[in-house]
Amino acid sequence: MAKVPLLEGEEIVAYFKDGKKHSLLLTKEGWIVMPLEHRISNISNLSRLFHVNDIKKIHMKSKIGLNKISSIIVNCFCIISIFYACSLYVSNFGYTNLFLSSEFIAAWYDYDPITDKILLYLFFTPFITIFLHSYFVLSKDRLFIDYVNRDGTSSSITLEKRHNSILTNLILITILTGYLSWFFFAGTEPNLERLDIYLLILAIFFILVNYGPDIKNEFVFWKPRKQYFSVPNEFISSPSLGDFYCQLKNFLPLVEEDGKVAIDRRNTDFAKSLPDTKYLQLKKRIESHDSIISQIVVHYNHIFLSGTPWLSCGAVRTSTEKLLNYRVKLILPKEPKNKNLTDFRNLLNKHDSSLTSDILRDIDHISVLGNNAIHNMEASTSDYISMLEKFVNVLDWHISHPPTSIVNHDE
């Protein structure tokens, strides 16, 4: 997966990559996004698909525990088989370089039962066991997500990935590499014989250094693994669909109904009473400017995520304040900080020639209803829709009339 730079405030908490190299990422703010490569500065490289609040139904079909336990059993069996073959070799041919003693080579060319047994337990038994386990025992993990698009239509997405064991893959690579190296190097010049051993030692060292912690995590299955990103653009090498699902559940209010997991919508009932057509139109207009507003008001999406009308009204007021604060800083860079919405409104009224009386009334409307909602912890659905409509007007005005500094003109 390509590494993309993140803007300030962006943080990835989980990601998943399917077999087709398509990647989905989950941000700290609850957005499901895809990485998008471009060279435009100050524009996010994360393309938003939908928010966790838009999820209607989520279902994970997996045998995570069974897959993991069966992998552990297969890995232990293969390791025991390999060590048993090595013990047979040592007891019959001594502590010489593996597969390179003249006695072993002569016995193998004569089809000696001991050499056949060693090859059986060292190569063929682990290989056949891993092959059968991978294709006939392990099941695919599937995650089904139903969500609402920005236009209000319903969509669904299915993520799937076959269970993957790092240790199993390493065992398979080791036995295949060992068999091929023995087949090509056995009976050759002494220098090549020693090279074979050196390569084997280097391979083991590389495996332990790079995959040691991951192998340990496969056996310590009773402890949950943390898949957070310590560095924003540093991604784990082998993402698990189960880990992605666990991180996604942290954002959802899940309850158990009749033995099945469902999303608790009791705190968002007020959204059902909203006039669908008007609400969706306003939401779509705001989100159409996502690339711009998300750089100014990082958490603006809380306008649509709050569980009650008064919280939503508070989010609209705060978003308006941050938007006007940003505009004031561009027009009056030398103005003191820590001002409130009323101060920003007055400064713009005095210094921003593009500010019209209609936009001024919209700002006052947002200020009054927002203050009432926050101080009284009460608001109606109509108040929320009204503030949302005024906020769209202010946002459209800000974008259509880019602010410019007037400091030089004043001086």
Side-chain angles (χ1 to χ4, degrees):
M1 179 184 135
K3 295 182 179 180
V4 295
L6 302 180
L7 299 177
E8 183 179 356
E10 292 181 334
E11 182 178 346
I12 306 300
V13 296
Y15 95 103
F16 169 74
K17 180 170 64 176
D18 61 16
K20 299 179 181 178
K21 298 182 179 181
H22 295 156
S23 300
L24 286 183
L25 298 87
L26 175 63
T27 70
K28 186 179 180 180
E29 300 301 322
W31 285 98
I32 305 295
V33 300
M34 293 183 66
L36 179 65
E37 294 185 73
H38 61 73
R39 298 183 179 179
I40 305 176
S41 59
N42 299 324
I43 299 296
S44 177
N45 287 78
L46 304 179
S47 176
R48 294 179 177 180
L49 299 180
F50 58 91
H51 195 273
V52 293
N53 193 62
D54 297 323
I55 296 178
K56 298 172 56 180
K57 183 180 179 182
I58 184 171
H59 174 62
M60 180 73 176
K61 185 178 181 182
S62 173
K63 299 178 181 179
I64 298 177
L66 180 61
N67 285 339
K68 195 164 189 178
I69 293 175
S70 65
S71 296
I72 292 175
I73 294 174
V74 168
N75 292 335
C76 291
F77 175 78
C78 292
I79 292 174
I80 292 173
S81 176
I82 293 173
F83 273 101
Y84 176 66
C86 292
S87 66
L88 287 177
Y89 179 88
V90 171
S91 61
N92 287 275
F93 302 102
Y95 293 93
T96 57
N97 291 336
L98 189 60
F99 293 142
L100 298 179
S101 67
S102 58
E103 295 86 356
F104 176 81
I105 296 174
W108 182 82
Y109 282 125
D110 291 337
Y111 298 100
D112 185 88
I114 295 298
T115 59
D116 291 344
K117 193 173 184 179
I118 293 174
L119 292 176
L120 174 65
Y121 287 104
L122 191 62
F123 294 123
F124 300 113
T125 297
F127 178 80
I128 294 174
T129 302
I130 292 175
F131 176 80
L132 294 177
H133 176 256
S134 299
Y135 287 92
F136 297 101
V137 177
L138 291 180
S139 61
K140 285 186 177 180
D141 298 336
R142 289 184 174 89
L143 179 60
F144 306 92
I145 303 176
D146 296 337
Y147 63 95
V148 179
N149 282 317
R150 293 182 179 182
D151 59 0
T153 60
S154 297
S155 296
S156 62
I157 184 174
T158 301
L159 308 177
E160 64 176 31
K161 189 174 185 180
R162 186 177 294 276
H163 178 79
N164 184 38
S165 169
I166 296 177
L167 184 56
T168 300
N169 293 338
L170 293 177
I171 292 174
L172 183 61
I173 293 173
T174 301
I175 61 176
L176 290 177
T177 302
Y179 182 80
L180 293 175
S181 63
W182 165 76
F183 183 82
F184 287 106
F185 288 131
T188 59
E189 295 297 327
N191 290 336
L192 292 179
E193 293 177 1
R194 286 195 295 270
L195 177 62
D196 185 26
I197 298 301
Y198 296 152
L199 290 176
L200 181 60
I201 294 175
L202 288 175
I204 295 175
F205 179 77
F206 176 81
I207 289 172
L208 293 178
V209 170
N210 290 276
Y211 298 100
D214 293 327
I215 295 173
K216 179 182 177 182
N217 284 336
E218 290 194 14
F219 285 90
V220 188
F221 58 88
W222 56 88
K223 294 182 180 179
R225 288 181 290 172
K226 296 182 179 180
Q227 297 290 0
Y228 294 97
F229 299 90
S230 56
V231 180
N233 61 347
E234 180 178 326
F235 301 103
I236 54 178
S237 58
S238 181
S240 165
L241 185 57
D243 294 329
F244 184 82
Y245 174 60
C246 290
Q247 295 294 342
L248 188 58
K249 287 197 301 183
N250 294 334
F251 288 85
L252 299 174
L254 300 179
V255 294
E256 186 171 340
E257 298 178 355
D258 301 327
K260 296 182 179 180
V261 175
I263 299 177
D264 187 2
R265 296 297 185 187
R266 290 175 293 181
N267 293 328
T268 57
D269 287 340
F270 94 95
K272 298 178 181 179
S273 62
L274 298 176
D276 291 342
T277 303
K278 189 172 185 179
Y279 171 71
L280 292 176
Q281 287 177 349
L282 294 173
K283 183 179 179 182
K284 186 176 181 180
R285 286 177 62 185
I286 294 175
E287 290 180 339
S288 65
H289 302 302
D290 175 76
S291 60
I292 297 177
I293 189 175
S294 61
Q295 314 303 321
I296 304 172
V297 187
V298 177
H299 306 290
Y300 87 91
N301 56 297
H302 285 267
I303 291 175
F304 313 112
L305 305 182
S306 302
T308 59
W310 75 268
L311 284 174
S312 299
C313 290
V316 175
R317 184 203 176 281
T318 303
S319 298
T320 306
E321 183 175 275
K322 288 184 176 295
L323 179 63
L324 298 187
N325 181 25
Y326 173 81
R327 189 175 183 89
V328 167
K329 286 182 179 179
L330 294 178
I331 296 176
L332 302 167
K334 296 183 179 181
E335 278 298 311
K337 300 179 180 179
N338 301 323
K339 293 183 176 292
N340 56 36
L341 178 59
T342 302
D343 294 328
F344 298 141
R345 178 259 191 207
N346 293 334
L347 287 171
L348 292 176
N349 187 35
K350 182 179 180 181
H351 299 285
D352 193 343
S353 59
S354 66
L355 184 64
T356 64
S357 57
D358 290 338
I359 297 300
L360 199 60
R361 282 194 295 270
D362 290 338
I363 295 174
D364 292 337
H365 186 84
I366 293 174
S367 179
V368 172
L369 291 183
N371 289 336
N372 290 336
I374 293 174
H375 294 306
N376 299 324
M377 300 181 68
E378 290 183 359
S380 65
T381 300
S382 59
D383 291 338
Y384 170 60
I385 293 296
S386 177
M387 289 185 65
L388 202 61
E389 186 174 17
K390 307 304 181 186
F391 178 73
V392 169
N393 295 338
V394 175
L395 179 61
D396 288 341
W397 161 75
H398 168 76
I399 294 174
S400 60
H401 297 82
T404 57
S405 175
I406 64 171
V407 172
N408 295 331
H409 297 287
D410 292 341
E411 294 177 349

